[in-house]
Every structure is written in C-alpha cells, then in structure tokens.
Amino acid sequence: MGSLCADVIVLSIQAKVLQTLQHGHCADVEFDELCFEFGLELDEITSEKEIISREQGDSKASGASDVILYKIDVPANRYDLLCLEGLVRGLQVFRNKLEAPRYRRVSPVSGGPQRLIITPEPSSVRPHAVAAVLRNITFTQERYDSFIELQEKLHQNICRKRSLVAIGTHDLDTISGPFTYTAKAPGDICFKPLNQSQEYTASQLMSLYKTDSHLRHYLHIIEDKPVYPVIYDSNGVVLSMPPIINGDHSKITLKTKNVFIECTATDVTKARIVLDMMVTMFSEYCSQPFTVEEAEVVYPDGKTCTYPELAYRKEKLSSAFINQKVGINESTEKLAQLLTRMCLRSQPTGVGDEIEVEIPPTRSDVIHACDIMEDAAMAYGFNNITRTTPRTYTVANQFPLNKLTELLRQDLAAAGFTEALNFALCSQDDIADKLGKKISETKAVHISNPKTAEFQVARTTLLAGLLKTIAANRKMPLPLKLFEISDVVLQDPTKDVGARNSRRFCAVYYNRSPGFEVIHGLLDRTMQLLEVKPGRGEGYHIQASDDSTFFPGRCAEIFVHGKSVGRLGVLHPDVINRFELTLPCSALEMDIEPFLGHTAETLLTHDVPMQEVITHKFPTSQAPPSRP
Amino acid sequence: MWVFMEADVTSALFFVTQGSSMADTGVVETLLQRIEKADDGVDSLQLATSLGVDHQTVVGAVKSLQAVGDIISADLRSSKRWELTEEGTETAEHGSHEARVFGSIPLEGLAQSELMKLSFGKIGFSKAMSNKWIRLDKGHEGGPRIFRSVENIEDQVRERLLLVQTGSSSELEEKEKNELKKRKLLSEVTVKTYWITRGDSFSTTVTKQETELSAEMIASGSWKEKKFKPYNFEALGVAPECGHLHPLMKVRTQFRQIFLEMGFTEMPTNNFIESSFWNFDSLFQPQQHPARDQHDTFFLSDPALSHEFPQDYLERVKKVHSEGGYGSQGYKYDWKVEEAQKNILRTHTTAVSARMLYKLAQQEKFTPVKYFSIDRVFRNETLDATHLAEFHQIEGVVADYGLTLGDLMGVLHQFFTKLGITKLRFKPAFNPYTEPSMEVFSYHEGLKKWVEVGNSGVFRPEMLLPMGLPEDVSVIAWGLSLERPTMIKYGINNIRELVGHKVNLQMVYDSPICRLDS
C-alpha cells in the first residue's frame, strides 16, 4: 500500500456556524464519531489564537480570534465537502435529516444567457473557459467568507495551484456582457487589479506581485508566455487576468446580488467540475435555492457550449455486486437506501437485483461502480461489516537475497560486530571526494531536485555511512566494530530504468591500531559462513591492489572463484581526516549477490516481460456510459 | 579514624575478592578470644583502641566473620563523639599557636616582623596578646618588638585536646569543647561501631575460606573439605564482548516472520530507482496528482528517463487514464508518456506490487498470491522529529477470486493480532488506487484514544484490469511504516536517534530483543 497517509485536505470551520446549521446540538464526541464513520477526521478543536501561539509564540497571538475552530481532514477527492455548506449538506443527508437537493440549470427570466466568447489567442496559453451566473444571491459575512475560502481550497487542490483551472467571480451588475476571453501581450493589458488604487500593465503587475507572499506562487504559470489571458466585458472593462488576479472593478461585496463566475483552464474536465462545485455549493443562497442561471461559451470555431453542466449521470449495478465486493448480504431496497444517504439517489429497477444510481454533479469522484460500492459500504458502516478470513491457500517463500542477508546479519553480530543502519541517499562528497574518488567513477544516480546536499545521490558504497556513524559516536569505548548489509544503487544501462540495486556487506574496525588482521579475520569468518574455502581458483583469496580510499600498500582485492567481489584494507589517512576521525581504521566492502547460489525458493525479480505472450480479452467497446 | 557511613558499606564482592588481605587474621583471632572471655559482648571501637589498630581493621574482621556464617552477631550502633581535626592533631602534638609563639620569644624579645614569618605567628600572636602572655613595644628602636610578659604559661588548649585524643573527652565541659570546635580544632562526628556478641555457631577457630573453585581442588577432591566465600549476587556481572543487531532491523525481522507465518511470499524490492510509470501511472494515479510534484518526490537527473515499457500494457494504461474504459469514466486528461518515463526514487513499494501483479496477469492461468515486502521508500518531504526523506514501508497484498472488504478487515485483524493489537476500527479514506480505502485505527490504552496504525484498501479495477487480471479477481492490500512501531516499541522520540549515522550506538548495544506481541 502506497502513500502511508491517505490524501486529505484540511478544512477549518467555526464551531458555532457548524452547530447552528446542523439544526441540533451535536456534542464534540458525537461529532467526532459521525465524522469518522463518514470518512472525515476531526483532527483538532482549536482557535486562531491557539494556532498562532503554538507556531509563533504567545506574544504574537494576543489579539487573534479565539473563536473555536474545528479542523477537519476531508478526503482529497471530495470537493463537495470542502466548504461548510457542502459538509453540512453531506452530513445531514447521511444522517437522514435532509434529502439531497436537486441542482437545476435555468434560463434567465428575461433576455438571452450571458455569453463568454473565446478568441483564438488563448489557445496556446490557457485554451478553455466555462461560466455561470448565481442570480439573486444573498451574502452575509459568513457566507461571503465561505465563498472566498472554497475558491481558495479548489485553487490549491483540484486546480493544482491555479495551473489547471483558475476561478474568477464578479459582481454581474457592475459589468455588461457579452464577455470576451482573449490573450494579449503583457504590455497591452492595463487595468486596476483587485484591492489596488491605480492601473497597472500586466508587465508591471508581474513585477509588483514578485514579492506578494500569496500571488508570487502563480506567476510562473504565464510569466514566460508571449501573451497573457485576459477577460473583458463589452465596454472593455477587465474582469480578470487569469490565473493571477481579478479586476477591482467587478469585485464582489456583501451587497452583490448577481454573481458571474468564470473558470479558465488548461484542463476542461476539471474546469467543468470546479464550476459545478462553486455553483452547487452556493446556489443554496439564491432566491430560488439550488438553481443556477446558464451561460454560453462560444469557442473560436463557433461551437457553443452551455454551462454549468450540472449533469446527473445514471449507472446501473446489481446488489449482488455490492454485497459480494463488500462481504455483506443486504436486500436491493436496503442498498438503494444506503446509497441515497450518500447523496447518490438510488432505486431498484425491478429487473432482478438491479439498482439504478444517480450520480449528482457534486460527486465527480464517482467514476466507477467500485466508487458506488464503497459508498454503500460507508453507509452500511465499515465497522459493521463481519471480518472474515479469506481461504486463499499459498505457500510462503522468502526472497533469497533477503534470506541470505538475514542469516548473515545474525552471524556477523555473533562475530562481535554491531549493525549500523544508514541512509541510502547522501551527498556527492560522501561517496566521492571524501573517499578519494571522482564522482564520475562512481556510477552513481543523481537526484535532480534535492532540497539539501544530503540528498544529491544514492550511495554507491556503504563505507561512507559507517564512517559517519563512527564520527557521530567517537565518545564510545574503543574499539568500534560496525557492519551493515544493505543496498547501494548503480547506473546500469541494461535495466529498464537504467539503474539497479546491489547488495553489499561492509565492515569497519576503528581503534588505536589499524587492526587489518581483525577485518581480515572477519573476511575469513564470512567466507567460512558462506562455505567458501581459502585458495585460488575455486576458493577465495586476496591480493594486493591499489585504491585511492586505502593507504598505499595496505589494500587488497577479494577474489572468489576467480572473480573480484570487493576490497579490504587500511583506510588512507586523508579519508580518515575527511570523515573527522582521528584514529586508524580498517574496512571491508564486498558484494554478496555472487553468494546466492542455487535456492529452492521461487526465483522472483521485479523485471517484467516487455512482450505480452498471453492474449487477454479486453473489452472492445471501451466507451463507458457518457455524460448526458 | 574510619567513619563508617552508609555509602561506604563495602560491597561483598569487593570483600570476596580482597577478603584475605583485608581481614587481618590476627585481629580476627583476638576478636574471637575477647568475645569468648567477655560476659556480654565487645565494642569494636574499644577493641580497636585497646589493640592500637585502626577501627577499619576491626570492622573488616567483623565483616569477614559475618560472611563465614553465624559465628558472631554484630549490632550496628551509632554514637556521637568528639574527634580532633587535622589542625587539632597538630596542636595536640606541638602545642597551641599561642604557646608556640610564647615559646619562640627569647628573653631579649623578638622583632614583630620576625614572628609574623612563623607559620603560627599571626593567630598565636593575637591569642597570646589576649591571654596577656606577651606585650608589644611599638616604639622600640629597629621596629616593633615583642617581649614575654609572664614567666610561665599553661597550654590548656593542648591539654584539653590530649584528653580528647585519649578518649577522655567526657572530662571536658561542653563550653570548653565548643570553644575548641569554634577554633576548628575539634569536630563532633557520628561514629558507627559494632557491638559484637557470640553467634549461634560461635567458635574461636575459623576455617580459612576459599574464593573460587579450582581445577586442582576438583582433581584432588579437596573442595569437599573447604569452605567457600559466598558470592555477592547483588552486584552486576561482567558485560560480554559481543556484536549487536540494529533495533529497526530486529523489528523488521519480526514483521518478516509474521508475514511468513501467514503464508505471504516476499517481493523482490531491491530496486530503489523506479519509473513514474510503475510508481504512479500503473496504479491509476493521475499525472497531475500532487504526490508527483517536485516537492514530494525525488526525480533523477541521471538516468533521467526510463525507455523500456511493456508497450501493449502502456497503451492500456494511457487509455484508462485519458478516456476511461473497464467500466470507468477515466480522468479525461491528456496522458503523456514523457511524464511516465521520468525516473524517480520510488515513493512506495507498491510500485513493486504493481510489477508483481502485472507479471501475475501474464501467467497462463491466474493463481492466488499473497505477497509482502519491507523496504526503503523515499519522499522529498520537509524533515522533522518523526519524518525523514527515506523510511521503510511494510506492505501486504492478497490477490484471489472474490475477496471482500470483510476479508481485508479479517486479514488486518489477524496481522495486527500478531503485533499484540486486537482493538481495531476502520475509517473510510481516499487513495487514488484503492476503492474502498480504509485507514486502520487501533485503541491506544496509554493515550486513551484511537491512533492510526496503517492504511489499506482494495485495488481499483482501473489498475488491475489493464494489467490483464481476471475481472472477478480482487486484490486487497495494506501498508504501514516500520519506523513508527519501532519508535513506540523502543521509546524513541526522535527518528534520527534510530536511523542514520547520528544513531547512538549505546542505544543499539542496549536494545532488547524484539517481541512485537508483548
């Protein structure tokens, strides 16, 4: 199982707001339990003041709000739970206290729909746009804050920090359509941006926002493009310069009654989802709740699309499928009820055990029947499912290399050496300069984005780590006798990824005298354990060798069955110094893979066949039920 | 004089090894004879005084006799007594400073400057002045000069100290003793002595005790007649010279053992470098997923790209991401092979699980498998006390026909029971490649709350079906880190003290064996 923590987005909600909207008093413990069942995690109950005092000290916190905040972890694919409105709606439907609302797209009461016309220019920068209108909305401070917060949450997550989608919201009564989405050279765009008192050209804005703690993170998205995206109204008023900033002219306030929402994007699927999410969450506050006024988007080729999509998709699946996958035995009716509690309105079709499930526009995370199955399991309660033991009969096998490693480790400790455990990543210096080698000789793989020098390369030798362990433990009684059996990484063009691991055994002896005989004795003992007898030809022997890591004349190469497997010797004084050590030290490092030999275990490798021999039957008509 | 204090109670080990030299045989014999003659008992201090030996010697004799058996009975008594300080002892020998000043002034007097050169001059001068034993002629030609003002003096200070020294301090008045104490010539000390009486097996002859059994004794059989000094079982033994296994690796061994006991086969995870394709794409993790960001994953500059993929499979992966299929809507984005080619340090061992499942799908006939691995994974994360850029992931995978979510919970229950964790509950969660996904929580008795112990789920059809696995095969899987349970097991708060070169070797030397279920 991969990432060891599930993907979550953290949501902060004021306790009093949550409670009033829930129409009932829900104790913290009860709320915690409810969240758990619903797949949310009530991470902590805190306040702005508490957070600041924890992060920056008490002095900074004085004056901060001590309104109680609930910090809730929301699954990263549930964009419908990213604001108070959606969260409360989801929980109330789950608790059977509310029926899931139906979101409707409506035409304007009078006149044609608002139109957003896309010119050919943005196609190279940010080709897509979608739009919608929230008519006769009533904002309060809390609703307004939530509206802004949801945009921010969507921007940070599904919009991938505005790179995929950027949302702009405007007071429709301050502007007049049709709107034009175009792109211009930065010098040719000039407007007063949000919360500024004067006009700037786009070029000036880019330098102005270089130091803005928030906006500077988005500049790179368009910075080096020849043209920047921009949206104008019919009078030439700038609505926004996506994905950076809106115009000040059309900004929404608490008094705004009609909101024009536009989303520009490089990924139109995500733009549609984001727009659906914005309007489904806040149409609750329109004079006709849960209705959204449509807008038309005209593409350069004349194609016209009407948004928001607000598509309800229908899927059919059998209750046997759900029961079998979850491991329960519930009736078709009961399963339909369970799904309905998850905002997936469902009913038996009457054909066998078939259930028809309606996936609302808020549930973009439902892309397969298995997602529906999971929702049924959640509503049933994961912890109500009987825990069963699968009858899968298998015989266990060890990975031969790990088996050898495990056995060898035991006996090396019995030989008086202590096991160290070092990082696989290190600096170039550790494996090259400090050991008297050139980095080009090491066959190391290089990391392109290390945050510090400690993560520049994967180690090509275990020796550096052991010497660093000694340096950190100089206060310990002498002698220090350490070993490690672990993997190093080497470039290998014969592998699909161009690199491979190599399992090594390394040991060091650190004392007032070099103790070459001790390390040599350990080699003899290791060979005895590996059933290799001393001797040239079929046995093992060592012979004098030159290696810049070792003291001249004090290094030997280890040969097993005539092949070189490693080296041992007394370290060069320069190497000792570079690792901040002061005493003589002898060391041994060798490959252990040559000792695998024949094994009864199944031979396992992560290499995959590049040609498929078996012909599988894959569905020919791959198109899934499409959106209406 | 040997002041017998609690901390000084000589360890018997010391006594056994050095006993024969310490317990003076003569003193032991005399002690036994005195006890035999005495009606009631003998005081150790009085005995020392009368024998003219140090009290310590008598105490040594008492201890050696006690060690042999019930020959004597010794009660520890404490009493206060006056004792001469170092300066007091000197004064008792040479006289008080003032008396010495008086004694050093000849009839013709002495220049004050000369007197002050003497070690006792300064204190002695003022005392002798106040005793009116001497007078100072300030106006004497050649500087101030001192003359005797009486003919004879009586050095009471010395006489009193001598009384104390001979054990007759009771003849002095309290006032006199306190005055000497103020002058730092006397001090009052607590003395612990033994009141020694006959023991149940009292005898005036003691057999010489042997310290150790020898080869000669065994050969000759002489051990039968000998008595042996008892061992001190309170003391620690000598630490053996040995090597040690690293605690994290000991815990790894145990987890491996658990999987093997449960019939799981070990996966070959010896490939730290992986392509984004196997690490992400094959797992149906979209190319815009935040985990694929530079901030979360280590990318390689050399070798930067992978070039070899099973081409048919790659096409199916591309399709399921960009268009859907296999009953899925897909993610509907422009899937790019360039993104899949990027080499990284694997972020999870699930990349190897993907390879193994793909290979399983390439078999002529599907056979059920249970796989596990415990190996390193890498994250380009912000480091803190519990997070490093690399850690060990423990992973279990079961593939078979018709596995259920209940089966996953059952397997997890069995697995965690082997770790000594029996109280489990499951929270719905989100993972890009599993559905359903569950976080595993266990009840922590110490913290009195539920804590997360692992993550689990059923692999998505969008991952399994493009590999070629049969539609009715389910694959359940779970994972946890090796470091966290180890830190809890060994009570380590900072991960750097456990993993890496900054490890404290003493901690490695001292770490106990690992039994996860106790």
Side-chain angles (χ1 to χ4, degrees), chain A residues 3 7 76 160, chain B residues 280 285-293 296 430 432:
Chain A
S3 25
D7 286 353
R160 298 295 298 124
Chain B
F280 297 120
Q285 193 149 349
Q287 295 189 328
Q288 308 83 359
H289 193 277
R292 304 180 69 153
D293 204 279
D296 288 336
F430 170 62

Side-chain angles (χ1 to χ4, degrees), chain A residues 1-2 7 160 371 374 383 388 392 394 397-398 402 419 422 424 446 448-449 451 605-606 612, chain B residues 244 256 266 288-289 297 299 301 316 350 355 358-359 370 376 380 390 393 395 400 407 433 435:
Chain A
M1 269 302 295
D7 286 353
R160 298 295 298 124
D371 298 305
E374 183 188 53
N383 295 295
T388 47
T392 310
T394 52
N397 282 310
Q398 303 187 47
N402 289 359
E419 186 176 31
N422 287 297
H446 292 258
S448 64
N449 57 333
K451 281 179 186 156
T605 133
H606 40 74
E612 291 185 3
Chain B
H244 310 262
R256 245 183 127 247
E266 193 169 26
Q288 308 83 359
H289 193 277
T297 297
F299 288 84
S301 55
R316 297 194 295 271
T350 319
R355 285 174 175 264
Y358 175 70
K359 285 174 75 165
K370 292 195 289 206
R376 294 179 197 239
N380 195 8
E390 55 186 278
Q393 180 186 346
E395 175 165 356
D400 200 354
D407 287 336
Y433 43 85
E435 188 81 8

Side-chain angles (χ1 to χ4, degrees), chain B residues 297-311:
Chain B
T297 297
F298 287 114
F299 288 84
L300 294 198
S301 55
D302 185 21
L305 300 176
S306 286
H307 294 286
E308 215 182 350
F309 302 96
Q311 205 55 41

Side-chain angles (χ1 to χ4, degrees), chain B residues 21-37:
Chain B
S21 63
M22 192 173 147
D24 189 312
T25 3
V27 175
V28 170
E29 275 169 25
T30 317
L31 172 62
L32 291 171
Q33 285 158 10
R34 291 283 179 90
I35 294 167
E36 191 186 25
K37 283 177 198 152

Side-chain angles (χ1 to χ4, degrees), chain B residues 5-17:
Chain B
M5 284 178 293
E6 295 300 320
D8 280 334
V9 176
T10 323
S11 98
L13 179 75
F14 179 65
F15 185 59
V16 166
T17 52

Side-chain angles (χ1 to χ4, degrees), chain B residues 21-63:
Chain B
S21 63
M22 192 173 147
D24 189 312
T25 3
V27 175
V28 170
E29 275 169 25
T30 317
L31 172 62
L32 291 171
Q33 285 158 10
R34 291 283 179 90
I35 294 167
E36 191 186 25
K37 283 177 198 152
D39 294 328
D40 41 2
V42 173
D43 179 77
S44 60
L45 187 60
Q46 278 177 3
L47 179 67
T49 316
S50 75
L51 291 179
V53 298
D54 201 84
H55 186 215
Q56 191 178 5
T57 315
V58 179
V59 172
V62 169
K63 295 232 118 185

